[in-house]
Amino acid sequence: MLALGALTLGLLAPGAQAAPRVGTHSGYTRLVFDLPAAAGTAAKPRTTLTGTRLQVTLGQTLRTESGSLSAPGVRAYAVKGAAVTVTLAPGHARATASVLPRSGAQPARLVVDIPTGAGAARTSAAKGTAGPVAQAPRPAAATVRPASTRTVTRPRVVIDAGHGGVDPGMTSRWVTEKDVTLDVARRVRDVLRARGVDVVMVRDNDRHLSADKATDLNARARLATTGEVSAYISIHVNAGGASAQGIETYYFGQPLGGQSRSLAVAENGGGSVGQELTRQAAGKAQNVLGDIVAQAKLSFSRQLAQQVQQNLVSSTGALNRGVHTDAFYVIRNPNTAAILTEIGFGSSPKEGPLLATPAYRDRIGNAIARAILTFLHMD
C-alpha cells in the first residue's frame, strides 16, 4: 500500500511467503513462516537439530528461498520444498518449532523460537549429538530454563498516548487529543495487565518527554527498539473537515504516489519541524526496501495493524478508512511490531462528541487490547 507496499505486500502475501517474520523479545527470537492457504490444520512438524542447524519438515511445500538474518540467536534460513532450515548463531543450540492452525484472517504458520537468554545452549546437540527438537505449545510467551530456576517471561507491550504536556495535538469544541489518547491508553493498559501482559506507558499523565518535538519523538521511538518489546501502539485522534470521519491504522512506510503527507507531517510536529522529520522518516522507509529482515519485521506490524483496525471498526461501527503506511517518525524503526492508530476525527460533529464520552472510549480501549491479545496468541 505504498511505494514500499507493492514490493512488500507481494513478498509477504499469505500463502506466498517464504521469508520469515522476525521478532526479537526478552529471552528469545521468534521466526514465523506463513504456510500455504491449504494448510488448515496444525500438523506436527518433524524437527531435527544438529549442532546449530535446525531442520523442520512440513506437510506442505513452500516457495524456495534463502537469506541471512541478523537477529539474536539466528544467522540464516533456507526453504526448499517441504523443508525449512534455520541456522542458529554460534553458542546457540536450542530451539522449538510448532505449527499453528489457520485462524480467521491469519494463515496457518510455522513458529520457531530460539532462546537467547541463560541456558540457550543447553541440549544434547550441544554435545555433538543430533536429536529431535521439543515441540512448542501455543506461543503466548517465551519460557527459558536456566540451570537452577525456571523463569517465565511475560510479553511486553508499549502504549504511546499521542502528544501530551506542551503539545495538545488536535483540539475541537468537543475534545483535546492528548486527553482522549491518555484515557484510551489507560483503558488498554488495564485490560492487558489483567491478562498478564507487561505494559509500558510512554506517558501516564499529561506530560511530554521533551519540549523539543524531535527529541520527544525520538524518546518515544526508542521504546520500540529495545529488543524486549512484543508490540508498540501509538494512539492518536484525527482532524479534518466537518465531513471527515472514520478510523484508520498505519504501519511504517511510504504513502502511495500522490497521497497527501499532511497527516504524517502533523503527527510529526507540524510546520517546518514536522516536514523535516517526515523527510527523514521517508528516507528511512526507502532504505527498508533493501533490507529483507526489516521487511519481515514490517510484516508483523502490518498484521497487528490489520487486527487493530478490524477490532476498532467492528466495536464502534465507525467508517473503515483502512490500513495504510506513512512516514510516521515515532514508528520509523520497526524492531518490533509498531503501529499508529487514528481512533476517529475529533473535529467531526458525529465522532467528536462520541470521543468525549467514557463509554465510547472504553469500547475503543477494549477493541485495541483484544487485538493485541490476538496478535500475541493470548486470546
Side-chain angles (χ1 to χ4, degrees):
M1 295 174 149
L2 57 173
L4 168 66
L7 174 61
T8 303
L9 297 186
L11 174 66
L12 301 173
Q17 179 174 328
R21 302 192 298 273
V22 182
T24 56
H25 309 277
S26 178
Y28 70 108
T29 292
R30 172 166 293 166
L31 310 183
V32 179
F33 297 82
D34 283 345
L35 302 181
T41 60
K44 184 177 180 180
R46 290 192 295 109
T47 56
T48 304
L49 179 61
T50 306
T52 58
R53 185 182 178 88
L54 170 72
Q55 181 169 303
V56 183
T57 304
L58 302 164
Q60 302 86 26
T61 299
L62 279 70
R63 187 181 67 192
T64 298
E65 188 172 325
S66 62
S68 60
L69 297 171
S70 59
V74 64
R75 288 293 175 265
Y77 75 96
V79 180
K80 185 174 183 180
V84 176
T85 302
V86 176
T87 302
L88 308 183
H92 292 76
R94 293 183 65 204
T96 60
S98 63
V99 172
L100 299 182
R102 182 180 181 85
S103 175
Q106 291 188 342
R109 50 217 179 274
L110 168 66
V111 178
V112 178
D113 285 343
I114 301 98
T116 56
R122 291 179 63 245
T123 182
S124 59
K127 301 177 182 178
T129 60
V133 183
Q135 300 304 308
R138 179 174 171 82
T143 300
V144 181
R145 292 178 176 84
S148 59
T149 63
R150 180 185 179 192
T151 302
V152 178
T153 302
R154 297 189 299 167
R156 176 173 295 172
V157 172
V158 177
I159 306 296
D160 172 31
H163 306 278
V166 297
D167 179 10
M170 72 79 54
T171 59
S172 71
R173 58 183 292 189
W174 301 284
V175 294
T176 298
E177 182 173 7
K178 67 176 182 178
D179 298 331
V180 175
T181 60
L182 178 58
D183 184 64
V184 170
R186 286 171 172 169
R187 295 172 191 273
V188 176
R189 173 201 64 193
D190 292 347
V191 175
L192 293 180
R193 284 182 176 171
R195 292 292 300 274
V197 177
D198 181 16
V199 178
V200 176
M201 296 285 285
V202 170
R203 66 182 182 94
D204 200 14
N205 51 44
D206 183 17
R207 71 182 184 96
H208 50 263
L209 276 62
S210 171
D212 175 72
K213 192 61 180 178
T215 303
D216 180 90
L217 290 176
N218 267 317
R220 294 172 189 255
R222 280 198 301 270
L223 292 173
T225 59
T226 64
E228 299 177 352
V229 176
S230 299
Y232 182 102
I233 296 88
S234 189
I235 301 170
H236 291 260
V237 175
N238 224 332
S243 62
Q245 59 180 285
I247 293 171
E248 55 194 6
T249 303
Y250 291 83
Y251 63 105
F252 183 72
Q254 291 184 335
L256 288 167
Q259 180 177 326
S260 172
R261 279 229 178 113
S262 60
L263 179 59
V265 171
E267 298 296 10
N268 289 340
S272 59
V273 172
Q275 291 176 4
E276 173 59 21
L277 294 182
T278 302
R279 184 192 66 78
Q280 294 177 24
K284 174 76 173 183
Q286 183 63 35
N287 291 337
V288 167
L289 282 167
D291 187 342
I292 193 169
V293 175
Q295 288 182 16
K297 292 174 180 177
L298 285 178
S299 179
F300 268 133
S301 297
R302 174 173 172 259
Q303 184 182 54
L304 177 59
Q306 289 174 330
Q307 190 66 57
V308 166
Q309 179 71 13
Q310 176 183 316
N311 280 26
L312 282 171
V313 171
S314 176
S315 296
T316 64
L319 176 68
N320 186 354
R321 295 174 65 94
V323 173
H324 309 283
T325 58
D326 209 339
F328 292 105
Y329 199 80
V330 74
I331 55 172
R332 74 193 185 283
N333 293 318
N335 285 16
T336 189
I339 68 168
L340 183 149
T341 184
E342 299 276 354
I343 59 175
F345 281 77
S347 54
S348 163
K350 177 182 178 181
E351 293 182 342
L354 284 173
L355 289 166
T357 65
Y360 191 73
R361 294 178 186 178
D362 198 54
R363 287 161 63 186
I364 290 174
N366 273 281
I368 295 173
R370 291 199 315 273
I372 295 169
L373 292 170
T374 298
F375 176 78
L376 297 174
H377 306 299
M378 296 178 66
D379 56 340

